[in-house]
Amino acid sequence: MRYLIHKSVAAALTGLALVACSPASEPLQQKFQQQSEQAPTDAAQEQLRTLYVAAEYDENSFRLHYRIAVATPSWYHQYWRFHNGEWVRMGSGADGPDEHGLYEDRISMMLDDGSVEGFRRYGGWMLINPGMRSLDSAASAEEVRAHPILGEQMGRSDVRKFIPQSRTTDRYTNPASWQDVKPLEEIAAMQERGEFLDLWQWRAHRSNPIGYADNTYVLHYRLSSEGRGMYTDNQANELPQPAFMFDKEKTGLTALSWDALINREYSQDDWYYLNEENAVPFATEHEWQEGDVLPFRLLREPQGPRGAIRANGSYADGYWRVTLERSLASPNPLDSKALQPGEIYHVAFAVHQGGVGARHHDVSLPHSLGLGVDADIVAHYSEQPMPEDELQWHAVHIINPGQVDWHWLTSQHPGAGLIRGNVELGVQQHHNYLPLFQRYIERHEAELSKE
């Protein structure tokens, strides 16, 4: 198996990748179509998915725009179903596509200001390590609960993304074990220095209906920013039943229908979600019927830095169109990056669609983001939000990352020596021709399945 492409070959292949869209006056749909027609037509290239990204800013705010074609969108998430006289939780994206499609679409962006060494070269592949949830190597809940920091101090039962520098390795380019968490006082010092990744997560169900994206970050774990989140479980004191139901006076209904839900009959204008404004306490004495459905999440107005990112997303004409907006200033330097005009940042994107969660998503290579300066993605200054067809769109190709992890990349990968040597080359230089990269990943998956 050979994952390493010589840099001279990579340079030649770079020209085969799509380039950023330029501003134009034609409708955006036509612009996307023209760009698609200019792409290579071989079967592997056609399998690539594309997330279009544009950005702008003014004196106070930064606005990020997404456009992506999705054949079967989902603004549904997890629900309670009344079945055989009991309330049963439905919907799971942990182990692949949910059989009923009950998992929300999501678009995520990781952002680094240079504080996480190596991110601009390796992107999100740095954060995936043996032991993480949903990998074949996932640590058991018992192992994690017994861990002195993750389990005993943080109350966690699974392993999630972390930056290698948060582990007790000599260098970030060495394999990082999930168990080897630095002492929490050292983690706190890293946080004070801003050594973490900002993680903006737009969620089609758990945040979008009330106008937000989730503000989170990655350090020794994937963590939420300070403050109250925009969703919580709709569960009655850990009992197997909801805590809230729909307010019939406001919504005209008490519950949704299971058949209508799995047939995708609830539009974005319907009450497919439950929030503080349309909910009342659950009535156990109500004559619940077979197939009644209530959302498993209760949406609410967030507080503090957790609610710093406003969002507006909708699906039409085969595309999700999403706009996020946040202050240039950091809502909290301990969990959110400041954005400065004239500076360049490095970003990587992930897209969940098709009823999947956890690692079952598509990801991008790292890209540069410049505020008013040349970069892969250029955020232009605009005192007012720009119309869609005047934005400068950049095509970000995404692929399925499989189970390629940092331990394998820094130890068994044919290019592991370059990574450990901290050579000024990264995944963009070696794997910019993504159809070939996807084949390599699929080959790696096949070999893993044999072990």
Side-chain angles (χ1 to χ4, degrees):
M1 179 168 50
R2 287 291 178 266
Y3 278 61
L4 183 60
I5 304 174
H6 190 275
K7 63 180 179 180
S8 62
V9 178
L13 291 175
T14 299
L16 296 176
L18 290 178
V19 297
C21 297
S22 300
S25 57
E26 69 266 27
L28 193 64
Q29 187 78 14
Q30 181 181 352
K31 182 190 296 184
F32 289 173
Q33 182 63 34
Q34 287 177 344
Q35 185 164 13
S36 176
E37 291 170 355
Q38 294 167 4
T41 57
D42 68 281
Q45 181 70 51
E46 290 174 356
Q47 291 176 4
L48 288 180
R49 306 191 68 249
T50 303
L51 171 68
Y52 293 91
V53 180
E56 56 179 327
Y57 67 98
D58 57 32
E59 294 294 334
N60 300 306
S61 301
F62 173 80
R63 292 181 290 276
L64 183 69
H65 306 274
Y66 297 134
R67 305 294 180 264
I68 187 168
V70 173
T72 308
S74 176
W75 41 87
Y76 309 136
H77 196 55
Q78 297 166 328
Y79 290 83
W80 287 106
R81 175 189 180 189
F82 193 68
H83 182 58
N84 292 333
E86 297 180 341
W87 287 98
V88 182
R89 179 179 174 178
M90 306 297 295
S92 172
D95 297 316
D98 179 72
E99 62 176 320
H100 302 297
L102 299 183
Y103 214 82
E104 67 187 349
D105 290 351
R106 293 183 359 226
I107 306 175
S108 305
M109 178 188 73
M110 287 183 288
L111 181 147
D112 176 47
D113 60 359
S115 65
V116 177
E117 190 176 3
F119 182 80
R120 67 186 179 87
R121 293 194 291 277
Y122 307 115
W125 273 275
M126 295 177 61
L127 313 182
I128 309 304
N129 292 274
M132 281 185 54
R133 64 171 184 166
S134 80
L135 293 179
D136 290 346
S137 62
S140 69
E142 292 75 19
E143 289 179 289
V144 181
R145 290 192 189 103
H147 190 272
I149 293 178
L150 298 182
E152 294 178 8
Q153 295 193 49
M154 296 175 60
R156 305 292 182 169
S157 60
D158 61 15
V159 179
R160 302 195 185 183
K161 292 182 175 69
F162 60 83
I163 61 174
Q165 295 94 320
S166 68
R167 265 48 183 180
T168 55
T169 58
D170 295 335
R171 302 176 66 219
Y172 84 93
T173 53
N174 292 335
S177 171
W178 72 266
Q179 296 100 323
D180 297 336
V181 185
K182 287 182 176 178
L184 287 182
E185 55 268 24
E186 293 187 39
I187 295 295
M190 292 178 66
Q191 196 168 5
E192 289 279 354
R193 296 191 297 266
E195 295 173 9
F196 58 85
L197 294 172
D198 219 338
L199 176 56
W200 298 17
Q201 298 191 74
W202 174 80
R203 305 173 185 270
H205 183 106
R206 286 178 287 177
S207 68
N208 187 65
I210 57 172
Y212 289 91
D214 205 350
N215 193 23
T216 62
Y217 67 105
V218 181
L219 206 170
H220 58 306
Y221 202 83
R222 195 196 76 189
L223 298 162
S224 298
S225 296
E226 183 184 23
R228 187 175 86 155
M230 60 284 305
Y231 64 89
T232 188
D233 291 350
N234 175 26
Q235 185 168 3
N237 298 320
E238 300 185 0
L239 296 174
Q241 68 180 43
F244 296 93
M245 63 185 189
F246 288 102
D247 184 339
K248 191 169 185 178
E249 291 186 5
K250 293 183 178 179
T251 66
L253 51 83
T254 303
L256 305 176
S257 159
W258 174 250
D259 289 340
L261 181 67
I262 61 173
N263 288 325
R264 310 183 62 79
E265 296 177 14
Y266 295 109
S267 76
Q268 295 165 88
D269 296 323
D270 293 322
W271 295 112
Y272 63 89
Y273 62 93
L274 194 65
N275 70 359
E276 292 176 320
E277 302 300 319
N278 68 2
V280 294
F282 179 78
T284 55
E285 69 276 8
H286 181 77
E287 295 184 5
W288 297 102
Q289 303 299 309
E290 178 73 20
D292 280 345
V293 169
L294 291 170
F296 185 78
R297 308 291 181 174
L298 177 71
L299 308 188
R300 58 192 185 180
E301 189 71 15
Q303 297 173 354
R306 181 84 183 268
I309 307 170
R310 298 306 303 248
N312 179 20
S314 62
Y315 182 83
D317 303 322
Y319 280 88
W320 273 116
R321 290 167 162 82
V322 179
T323 295
L324 311 183
E325 183 170 2
R326 202 210 75 181
S327 62
L328 291 173
S330 169
N332 179 4
L334 293 178
D335 57 41
S336 304
K337 302 292 186 180
L339 297 169
Q340 296 284 346
E343 296 294 327
I344 292 179
Y345 302 85
H346 290 86
V347 294
F349 302 93
V351 176
H352 288 78
Q353 61 88 33
V356 299
R359 72 169 178 86
H360 303 282
H361 56 6
D362 292 325
V363 303
S364 79
L365 305 185
H367 291 252
S368 57
L369 167 68
L371 271 65
V373 293
D374 188 42
D376 298 330
I377 303 166
V378 179
H380 292 278
Y381 180 85
S382 178
E383 292 184 358
Q384 299 296 326
M386 298 172 66
E388 187 176 59
D389 62 352
E390 293 182 13
L391 291 164
Q392 181 173 335
W393 293 92
H394 178 71
V396 175
H397 294 307
I398 53 179
I399 60 174
N400 188 296
Q403 298 194 60
V404 174
D405 61 50
W406 192 237
H407 185 278
W408 184 86
L409 288 170
T410 56
S411 61
Q412 297 171 270
H413 187 298
L418 292 176
I419 297 175
R420 291 197 303 270
N422 211 15
V423 175
E424 189 56 30
L425 291 172
V427 65
Q428 283 278 12
Q429 286 73 36
H430 293 299
H431 298 295
N432 200 28
Y433 187 55
L434 293 190
L436 184 57
F437 191 16
Q438 186 72 82
R439 291 192 189 106
Y440 287 158
I441 291 172
E442 290 169 357
R443 189 181 305 168
H444 180 61
E445 291 283 280
E447 294 199 1
L448 280 177
S449 67
K450 297 176 183 177
E451 295 179 359

